Amino acid sequence: MTYLTLKYLHILSMVLLFGTGLGSAFYKWMADRSGNVAHIAATNRHVVLADWLFTTPTVIFQPISGLWMAHLLGYPLTATWLAASLALYALAGACWLPVVWLQIRMRDLAAAASISQQALPAQYWRYARIWFWLGIPAFAAMLVVLLMMVFKPA
């Protein structure tokens, strides 16, 4: 695989990772605000599916392709921008893993409420708040990783 092909796939993967995360967060947040339990249940189901189809493969591919390109270009892992990117990526991942669990739980709670035609339980809203607040440092970290990836500051 040539460097340019790898770079293209790395950028495409980052676009999918960032776009899916931001899109899923927006649609889930908007569904939650609607208060429509059936809509919330369907949206949560789609958010979990999007994570499995798009986010998980790109989360795996990003560090592999990034480290591979750094190796091809001779960048040491101790390069400031690379070390900072890896640390921020790890921070985003540390936020994302509990978010995945929360999304699955919220999907199940919303599905049960929709089937029984009941209101969402308080636990759903507790999970939704935690989910929201974990998204902020993850999103910020990924923005900085994107800056590092593009500009490679010293």
Side-chain angles (χ1 to χ4, degrees):
M1 179 177 306
T2 68
Y3 172 79
L4 287 178
T5 302
L6 184 58
K7 184 176 180 178
Y8 172 75
L9 293 173
H10 184 75
I11 292 168
L12 178 61
S13 174
M14 181 59 173
V15 168
L16 283 170
L17 174 59
F18 203 77
T20 301
L22 187 58
S24 291
F26 175 76
Y27 288 115
K28 185 196 168 332
W29 187 66
M30 293 302 290
D32 283 354
R33 291 188 57 190
S34 77
N36 181 321
V37 176
H39 178 57
I40 292 168
T43 301
N44 275 282
R45 189 174 61 252
H46 295 145
V47 165
V48 170
L49 180 61
D51 255 3
W52 290 117
L53 293 176
F54 303 109
T55 308
T56 300
T58 59
V59 162
I60 295 166
F61 184 72
Q62 278 294 291
I64 293 169
S65 59
L67 290 171
W68 189 357
M69 286 188 301
H71 171 73
L72 290 174
L73 295 177
Y75 287 114
L77 293 178
T78 56
T80 303
W81 69 270
L82 187 53
S85 294
L86 291 169
L88 289 166
Y89 194 79
L91 170 66
C95 293
W96 180 67
L97 288 172
V99 159
V100 171
W101 183 85
L102 290 165
Q103 287 174 175
I104 292 168
R105 292 295 303 134
M106 286 186 287
R107 178 201 61 194
D108 295 347
L109 290 168
S114 181
I115 289 167
S116 66
Q117 297 185 340
Q118 299 290 318
L120 290 165
Q123 187 66 47
Y124 178 91
W125 299 111
R126 279 192 290 278
Y127 287 161
R129 278 190 301 279
I130 296 166
W131 172 88
F132 176 83
W133 289 109
L134 283 170
I136 291 173
F139 182 74
M142 292 306 288
L143 279 177
V144 177
V145 169
L146 182 58
L147 282 169
M148 298 281 190
M149 183 178 88
V150 172
F151 295 108
K152 298 173 184 56

